[in-house]
Amino acid sequence: MKPVAFHNTVLRDGHQSMAATRMKTSQMLSAAPILDAMGFRMLETWGGATIDTSLRFLGEQPFDRVRALRKVAPKTPQGMLLRGQNIVQYKCFPDDVVELFVKCTAEAGIEVFRIFDGLNDPRNLAPAIAAVKKAGKTARGEICYTTSPAHTPEAFLRFSEELKDMGCVEIGIKDMSGVITPRVAAELVAGIIKRTGLPVTLHSHETAGLAAASYVAATDAGATAIETSISPFANGTSQPDTLRMLALLDGNPRQPSFDRKKLAELREYFTKVYKELDAFTSPANETVDSDTLVYQVPGGMLSNFRVQLKDMGMSERIDEVLAEIPRVRECLGWAPLVTPISQIVGTQAMLNVKFGRWKNFSPAAMDIALGNYGRTPAPVDREVLALAEKNTGKSPMSSRPADSLKPNVDNLRKQLAEKGLPTTDEAVVLFAMFPMEYEKLIKKPEAIQDPAAAAKPSATGPASAPPAPRPTGRHQRLQITVNGRRAEALVEEIP
Ligand code: CO
């Protein structure tokens, strides 16, 4: 029996989940050769929120990290998380931008592309998968796991077959909220292997305390790999710790062999880094919180939600709002609670409670209803859809969202030239997603500051002001209307 392989996420999801994606390349370089020698099947190093924070807060050219890590850790393939047609942003990009992004990412040194779409709409994945294949790299199609009447085991299994048909050579189960149970994990892993014959990886989060047990169940069901991190960038809202996972597999015929002394060394090293990132860590991320199972909303969303409700003076109505979330989801075709849809659904639930159901229909929620994010898992409620059509004067989108977008690479390159900025492929794709941040990085790198790091209270000085809310990997501002006034809601990404 082949041992189950471990992928390590400490250089991406580990610090995205535990330290707001603030680990710098310089903090990774001395650990990378040790990680490289351990025998992990893959090191997840890039994608998700890393590109955004590199540009916005760290003043780093994101592609340089991939190249630097490849130099010091050449043996283990590097992997990234790619948000399908949204690349690493929230809006939809034209196919030529997606293709160019994959091409230069592959050239920089990424071998494995974990490609997902929050709605599991295959049309939002096809161009990225094709581009990865063209670049000769590994396309791992991700199934976003969530619970709803529309998300049946059969629906997930059928989706895994579609991913294979589109050219994926591996399948991942992406349980971003950490709600998959051991039994379901085993059922899906065995089912996907049976239907597709492809290697299956389970990716989960320990948020609700289920991940490690689900990893054991997935291992017993024949999963090729599971994804772990290194403490203290592990457990809690992150992946289970590697040493802990090894201990859980003691005596299991599929237990892999790792140098536990070296793992202890890594843990010591990352403990030091964790302390350096003190301004971005929080005890809330370190605990196991089964609230997420009670309320069926991701942990990150819940904690953020409490802050948002408080800002709106609605703290005492949290139970009503949480009860409204599944109703909103049902009306919006059981859209999954994954970024950015989770924030849109949460905000709409708040508006429904405050003003009455659908009396104040947010434009972003209308976009979901009209299919502008992709096909919803179940049909949208007829009355809600009619309301969205009436309010916008638009009919639902039946084509693929990116079909309405014209090629844009040439135009972006022209804009870069006019601004006197580099016109390389890397410049084009970064500028496409983060125009202001990219321009600032090139022209005024010294002006890039991390407001959260600057606001960190001094360790020696008196703690005069109450601590500011902890920063997160990725804030998104949503425009909402409260009491007839436009307002902004600050929301957080779920890794
Ligand atoms: Co994750």
Side-chain angles (χ1 to χ4, degrees), residues 16 20 40 75 104 148 157 167 176 185 202 230 254 309 320 325 351 358 375 474 479 492:
Q16 179 167 335
F40 291 110
K75 281 198 302 210
C104 41
S148 91
L157 296 182
M176 54 277 168
L202 177 60
I230 307 276
R254 297 197 66 209
L309 283 171
E320 273 175 87
I325 287 178
L351 296 172
W358 308 103
R375 197 179 288 138
R474 164 79 184 164
Q479 296 290 332
E492 181 189 7

Side-chain angles (χ1 to χ4, degrees), residues 179 208 289-297 302 322:
V179 295
D289 184 356
S290 48
D291 269 7
T292 182
L293 299 174
V294 177
Y295 298 116
Q296 292 286 310
V297 304
L302 195 61
L322 288 168

Side-chain angles (χ1 to χ4, degrees), residues 12-13 174 203 205 239 495:
R12 205 286 297 177
D13 210 346
K174 178 177 157 57
H203 172 97
H205 289 254
Q239 278 73 57

